[in-house]
Amino acid sequence: MNTPPAASFKAFFSHQPQDDDGNKNTKAFTDALDDADEGRRIRNFTEDLNSIFFAADAEGKIQTLHSPKNLGGTRTRSTHKIVALVGMGARATAVQLDEKHAVKVVDLRCPNLNLIDVETTAAGIKAIPIPDDNAVVTCETTNIFLPAPWLKNAILVEDTVCPFEL
């Protein structure tokens, strides 16, 4: 990947020149992983080396990853091996993603938006009861998501790894 010099990961990914075009087509980011075909979801996820995405680590903290690449899924190497980078420049570390879980369709049962809207602190959001397994599915998605540029920039500006602080 040929990248221009940037002081930090955040500086490189914040407000890229193509962000305006991406913001005009937010639905493309929403629909990218919404395909019924797993192969197309993987291709949509890995086709743009300037993609940035967020995932939770084992401690429930937000990790920012970028530049996903599929090193398999070809005629001669049929198993997908998806890797992405954490960090930037010489300090960037490649990590392999579990492709079956990364693009697997999952049903989420989220708290009612009215409960979330009235909370003003991270502690208040964290205290909202988690719906049980019999609750209505409120969102069908994948374990990862490709945020539109406006959302990516808003999350990077917050500079937090705690999802409850967003």
Side-chain angles (χ1 to χ4, degrees):
M1 180 169 83
N2 186 12
T3 58
S8 68
F9 172 93
K10 190 172 166 181
F12 176 75
F13 281 104
S14 293
H15 309 289
Q16 294 180 324
Q18 65 272 23
D19 280 0
D20 288 338
D21 291 335
N23 286 331
K24 292 175 189 170
N25 194 14
T26 297
K27 188 165 173 32
F29 291 88
T30 306
D31 293 347
L33 299 175
D34 199 23
D35 200 298
D37 180 81
E38 183 178 293
R40 284 193 295 261
R41 284 195 307 270
I42 290 171
R43 188 182 65 242
N44 291 343
F45 173 56
T46 59
E47 70 185 349
D48 182 2
L49 283 180
N50 281 327
S51 286
I52 183 173
F53 62 101
F54 303 98
D57 65 13
E59 296 173 0
K61 296 195 169 137
I62 297 171
Q63 295 298 313
T64 307
L65 296 98
H66 63 92
S67 309
K69 179 77 177 155
N70 185 0
L71 302 178
T74 64
R75 285 184 302 280
T76 57
R77 178 177 259 172
S78 60
T79 304
H80 295 284
K81 289 182 178 49
I82 300 174
V83 296
L85 296 175
V86 177
M88 198 72 171
R91 294 186 180 139
T93 303
V95 294
Q96 183 174 351
L97 305 177
D98 178 348
E99 59 105 354
K100 291 292 182 195
H101 288 94
V103 298
K104 178 183 173 189
V105 176
V106 293
D107 293 332
L108 298 181
R109 290 159 179 84
C110 303
N112 186 299
L113 193 55
N114 294 333
L115 295 174
I116 296 170
D117 279 347
V118 297
E119 295 299 335
T120 58
T121 66
I125 296 289
K126 195 171 186 177
I128 295 173
I130 297 170
D132 65 28
D133 289 341
N134 297 323
V136 175
V137 172
T138 54
C139 181
E140 186 177 284
T141 186
T142 55
N143 285 321
I144 54 167
F145 75 102
L146 297 171
W150 63 267
L151 181 56
K152 167 199 67 169
N153 292 335
I155 292 171
L156 289 176
V157 164
E158 288 300 316
D159 199 25
T160 181
V161 297
C162 178
F164 298 106
E165 293 176 1
L166 292 174

